[in-house]
Amino acid sequence: MNNDVTKVAPPCSSKIQHILESADFYDAWEVRAAEPLLTPLEQFLRVASKTPKWVDSLMVLRNKVVSPFGLKDLGRLSSISPNKSSRDYVAGDRVGIFTLIEQSENEVLLGDEDEHLKVVLSLYQTPLGDNQTQVTMTTVVHVKNMLGHLYMLPVKPAHHVIAKSMTKLIGEN
């Protein structure tokens, strides 16, 4: 199985398309899923539970650095409830560092918002046949003020590395 991660355009039929036009930042990464029968939310929960320690360490550092400036402590990317089934999540529930916005058969939208930024994450699945599924992980950021712009300066390059790494996990057993 090919589990190479590729930088792509966000899927045309993704619900994230409606917020791309005014975005200050976005990227999308694609990989063939190692577990093609999982729902998009299950893909996210699986990947979040496998978050590398270095990513969680960066989140801890981020939280310490930004809290004096009024940005909220998001916790760790891996901070998901191990006892909660994907079927138990409804819109508005916290899913690790994100809030569940909506989900469908082929896409889940997760996000977070404060007075500085609005972030939306999409995991979009495209069936390829022969029990194969392509998953595209798209992140969209809207910056609301100068502090948000300053925050994004170091976050943009770090985000590319983290997002690619997390997408790669979707393709690994």
Side-chain angles (χ1 to χ4, degrees):
M1 178 175 71
N2 179 0
N3 66 349
D4 291 339
V5 177
T6 307
K7 188 167 184 158
V8 295
C12 292
S13 51
S14 168
K15 290 186 177 185
I16 207 150
Q17 283 290 333
H18 74 280
I19 63 171
L20 279 175
E21 186 176 310
S22 60
D24 294 285
F25 169 83
Y26 71 89
D27 70 355
W29 300 91
E30 183 174 81
V31 70
R32 191 165 297 186
E35 295 192 32
L37 301 180
L38 297 180
T39 67
L41 179 56
E42 289 168 338
Q43 295 285 3
F44 177 79
L45 293 170
R46 178 178 171 270
V47 166
S49 71
K50 296 170 63 173
T51 300
K53 289 183 191 223
W54 65 268
V55 172
D56 272 344
S57 295
L58 284 176
M59 287 299 297
V60 169
L61 177 63
R62 173 243 177 246
N63 294 329
K64 287 180 182 177
V65 169
V66 302
S67 63
F69 300 102
L71 276 78
K72 61 179 153 180
D73 183 329
L74 296 173
R76 298 168 189 250
L77 192 56
S78 64
S79 295
I80 57 166
S81 176
N83 301 324
K84 192 168 183 176
S85 164
S86 65
R87 295 178 302 281
D88 296 331
Y89 286 96
V90 296
D93 284 354
R94 288 299 284 183
V95 186
I97 67 171
F98 297 108
T99 298
L100 176 60
I101 299 170
E102 67 177 279
Q103 62 179 321
S104 64
E105 182 179 322
N106 65 332
E107 185 171 25
V108 63
L109 294 176
L110 303 157
D112 194 64
E113 184 170 7
D114 61 22
E115 68 237 34
H116 309 293
L117 300 167
K118 178 179 180 181
V119 178
V120 179
L121 175 72
S122 162
L123 271 76
Y124 184 88
Q125 295 188 163
T126 305
L128 300 175
D130 293 330
N131 287 326
Q132 297 293 310
T133 300
Q134 197 80 12
V135 177
T136 305
M137 185 183 303
T138 305
T139 306
V140 177
V141 179
H142 289 92
V143 177
K144 298 181 177 182
N145 57 32
M146 185 55 70
L147 184 56
H149 283 288
L150 290 172
Y151 171 80
M152 287 302 294
L153 290 174
V155 168
K156 282 180 188 180
H159 171 80
H160 289 300
V161 174
I162 293 168
K164 184 177 181 181
S165 177
M166 296 303 288
T167 303
K168 184 174 175 68
L169 290 173
I170 294 169
E172 295 177 353
N173 288 319

